[in-house]
Amino acid sequence: MIIIEFIVAMVATISFAILFNAPKSEAIYCGLTGALGWVVYYAMTTNGANSVLASLFATFCLTVLARAFAVIRKSPVTMYVLPGIFPLVPGAGIYYTAYYLFIGNTEMSGFKGLETLEIAGAIVFGIIFGFGIPQWLFHKLAPQKPDINED
């Protein structure tokens, strides 16, 4: 089941990256960031973690991977982070917040709205924590150019 989740998240993320004009050569890497984030989220929620904690940890993991890809592929990190968070964005929470509001169930609307805001905040903090790792650690991943001035 987790393989299907990985593939679907990857296809969705690649589609989102193409929609936002990411270079086609980077689409697979964008897809991998989104798929990794979703698999981490899925694994945590199926093992009892709440959706807020799972979103935080999944976003942190995909941000670290996006930063690694950015250094290795010599591309902007936003090219991988923005499509990568696509599977984690709480679209259903936004929908149900509005749905319950329109049918007059303000209690459920408030519950879903607060939960959606918590998940959105967790995504933001996951990105912040991922960017808190020093850049020089990621530069160790980049292939080193030989120094042509050595004698």
Side-chain angles (χ1 to χ4, degrees):
M1 185 64 163
I2 200 159
I3 293 171
I4 294 170
E5 299 275 342
F6 180 88
I7 292 168
V8 170
M10 188 167 184
V11 170
T13 306
I14 289 171
S15 301
F16 191 74
I18 290 170
L19 180 68
F20 281 93
N21 292 321
K24 292 191 186 342
S25 61
E26 302 304 313
I28 192 78
Y29 300 102
C30 295
L32 285 172
T33 59
L36 170 79
W38 180 256
V39 166
V40 169
Y41 175 85
Y42 179 77
M44 288 184 71
T45 54
T46 55
N47 288 314
N50 69 18
S51 58
V52 176
L53 181 62
S55 295
L56 173 71
F57 193 69
T59 305
F60 172 78
C61 291
L62 77 85
T63 302
V64 170
L65 182 62
R67 290 187 67 196
F69 282 155
V71 169
I72 293 167
R73 305 283 301 162
K74 296 179 175 43
S75 299
V77 71
T78 54
M79 184 184 314
Y80 307 107
V81 170
L82 291 180
I85 63 171
F86 175 72
L88 300 176
V89 172
I94 296 166
Y95 170 81
Y96 284 114
T97 300
Y99 171 75
Y100 288 124
L101 185 64
F102 288 135
I103 66 169
N105 190 343
T106 55
E107 183 179 338
M108 279 303 293
S109 177
F111 173 76
K112 283 295 188 183
L114 182 59
E115 180 183 55
T116 302
L117 282 174
E118 289 173 346
I119 293 169
I123 291 171
V124 169
F125 278 107
I127 293 170
I128 290 170
F129 295 152
F131 275 99
I133 298 172
Q135 184 68 20
W136 62 268
L137 289 173
F138 292 99
H139 282 290
K140 291 190 177 285
L141 298 172
Q144 302 297 320
K145 294 182 185 175
D147 189 6
I148 58 174
N149 293 329
E150 288 183 22
D151 291 326

